Amino acid sequence: MSDIKTILEPQRDIPIYDECDILIVGGGAAGHSAAIAAARAGAKNIVLLERYGYMGGDVTGGYVIMVPKLSWYDKSFVRGLQEEWFTRLNKIPQAVLAPSLKEIGRSDDKALLGVWSRIHGCVSESEPKRLVRAVYFEPNELKIELDKMLLEHKDSIRVMCHSWGVKPVMEGSAVRGVIFESKEGRKAVLAKCVIDCTGDGDIFRYTGAPYSTLADGRTRSSTTALVWRIGGINWDLYCEWMKNNPEEAQALRDGCIKVAGFRCLPLPSSRNDVCWINNWHADRDCAKIKDATETEMNARNKIRDIIEYLREACPVAFRNAYLYDIAPQLGTRGSCRLKGEYVMTANDFAFSTKHDDVIAWHSTICMINDCAPIEIPYRALLPRGVENLLAAGRHLSADNVAIDWLNLIPQCVGTGQAAGVAAAVAVSDGVSVRDVNIRKVQDILAGEQDVPLPRNEHTDKSYTEVCEAHQYGLYTELAKKAHEEAETLKAYRQSDVPHLDGREGDGADDAVSAALKEYRQW
């Protein structure tokens, strides 16, 4: 066995494969959205680099086939390209299952609430119970539709599949392109602007920009998954059985975890005869070889056992269950996160922070503010000390608590769409993405691309009115506790009493930390 720990790779010339105005690395929910948004904002020279042979990433390849919390009360806050996916898919039989835009917020129809309560996420957790725009969809149909969207802009977007972006091309502190690997070898694409949509910061973490790694094993983001689907089931009968046999239903859920050795749960799909098994492998970093490998192999090793257990434990719904398919790629949740010009924290949820550079206004899964919309600033996509680079998607700038509520599919689509528009405006105006005219970006998003934004003339004022009428969701006990703690700390720090607790800052972070001490969402 050799004692050599490193190998010196000889210097070599890297061929330039292509040059463009905007290079997007990663064709997942963020990257695909960035490409489409940039083209619709007028960009004509875009390259989209994707390591697999299809678009969508976790959505179509990882089988994350439910998109949650697109509405709050009676308003659809997450629109734009995210809602366009489902408008297009809705024409295909059994491709979409969700409360319609006309139904969201309804709390007066017990029959509708009863039906949709069988579909996880379609009814609010808080009172009054109301319908929520949560969408289940067929991933393979979405694969086709995402391709069609790109083909509609084939004069502006050049797609490169099976091409893995591995390293930025740097000129001082500026990114000038990306080196990628493929079956054709190691080559490069040069660009005026690069958007890192890899989800794991595959580009920004090699630029010198600061970033965080996985930090808190108690959060959902510190888990991985490999999803599979089961056919031959009857979801309606399963829901009836759970309703009539609550103790047995809980025993079944516990039994699945015992059989698997990791947390897993049957969830509905857009078809009554197919469900998917979501799973959570704890303390896993999806950017580490060991964690990714063990997740894939351990999950597949338990699939047959889980299906057999479901057949035995609930034969009324699973008697004829069979393995329908296995997701073609790892379910990724968290690894490296940008430390951008603004780092989002739980404060943004507990104190309804307003941002002049807001580029997405999203309802999210967060019980602090009852899933009310929060503002995501452009600065959360901007790396510190690096030029010509944006970072959109699940690796956006957020701390290890807030990231749990910001790395889901809607936020990937929303930040990707904003990054694409910003890049298009920057190229058109001949400025860097750091110096882009954010008002112009906001006006294109809200005025032309169906993205509601607060305080923008193109957004219906009723969106703000519903937020104000419901206190931005800050009526929850968690929010009240955070605000009480903040006031106490503020008064304490303004007094002459010595700060024996050693805490620093304005008290907001400490207040939210106190409120969240026993709260973690998986």
Side-chain angles (χ1 to χ4, degrees), residues 125-386:
E125 292 87 352
S126 62
E127 299 290 345
K129 297 296 183 183
R130 55 194 182 274
L131 294 181
V132 176
R133 180 73 166 163
V135 184
Y136 290 78
F137 58 91
E138 168 51 50
N140 293 304
E141 294 288 1
L142 183 57
K143 277 183 185 177
I144 295 171
E145 207 60 42
L146 294 179
D147 281 352
K148 288 183 179 294
M149 294 172 73
L150 289 171
L151 290 171
E152 290 167 4
H153 298 281
K154 62 183 179 181
D155 293 336
S156 301
I157 304 171
R158 298 189 295 285
V159 179
M160 295 170 55
C161 289
H162 302 288
S163 302
W164 192 319
V166 296
K167 184 180 179 182
V169 177
M170 301 295 295
E171 185 178 288
S173 62
V175 179
R176 298 303 182 192
V178 168
I179 294 172
F180 70 94
E181 297 274 6
S182 75
K183 291 290 187 178
E184 295 185 30
R186 191 173 177 87
K187 299 183 180 182
V189 177
L190 302 183
K192 295 178 182 177
C193 170
V194 174
I195 307 177
D196 185 345
C197 294
T198 61
D200 298 303
D202 291 347
I203 304 305
F204 70 66
R205 55 193 164 114
Y206 295 107
T207 65
Y211 65 91
S212 301
T213 54
L214 210 57
D216 190 338
R218 294 174 294 171
T219 59
R220 181 190 61 83
S221 293
S222 297
T223 65
T224 51
L226 182 69
V227 170
W228 67 91
R229 293 193 289 180
I230 300 175
I233 64 106
N234 190 312
W235 189 261
D236 285 343
L237 289 179
Y238 177 53
C239 292
E240 284 296 319
W241 177 82
M242 287 193 292
K243 180 180 178 180
N244 296 328
N245 303 278
E247 293 184 3
E248 290 87 343
Q250 183 59 54
L252 181 144
R253 289 189 286 270
D254 294 340
C256 283
I257 297 172
K258 185 176 181 180
V259 170
F262 48 82
R263 185 169 176 247
C264 58
L265 183 70
L267 290 171
S269 77
S270 58
R271 293 174 47 166
N272 188 57
D273 61 344
V274 175
C275 71
W276 59 296
I277 306 294
N278 201 359
N279 46 93
W280 297 263
H281 298 248
D283 273 327
R284 299 292 190 191
D285 183 331
C286 62
K288 293 189 179 297
I289 295 171
K290 181 177 181 291
D291 289 357
T293 301
E294 289 181 354
T295 300
E296 296 244 21
M297 298 189 71
N298 290 345
R300 283 193 292 268
N301 188 45
K302 293 296 183 178
I303 289 175
R304 292 171 181 162
D305 297 336
I306 293 294
I307 294 175
E308 183 58 33
Y309 175 74
L310 289 171
R311 290 192 193 110
E312 294 176 358
C314 184
V316 65
F318 291 97
R319 186 187 308 277
N320 298 314
Y322 63 89
L323 177 61
Y324 187 78
D325 60 6
I326 304 172
Q329 70 182 66
L330 181 75
T332 52
R333 292 186 174 108
S335 60
C336 298
R337 288 172 281 115
L338 183 70
K339 283 185 179 179
E341 294 292 351
Y342 183 88
V343 179
M344 298 197 71
T345 72
N347 287 347
D348 290 292
F349 298 81
F351 295 91
S352 187
T353 311
K354 307 295 188 294
H355 298 286
D356 288 341
D357 60 339
V358 55
I359 43 83
W361 192 23
H362 281 197
S363 39
T364 67
I365 298 180
C366 180
M367 296 303 107
I368 295 177
N369 64 346
D370 191 26
C371 307
I374 53 96
E375 298 184 15
I376 302 175
Y378 183 62
R379 287 163 294 153
L381 313 185
L382 275 174
R384 299 179 197 171
V386 177

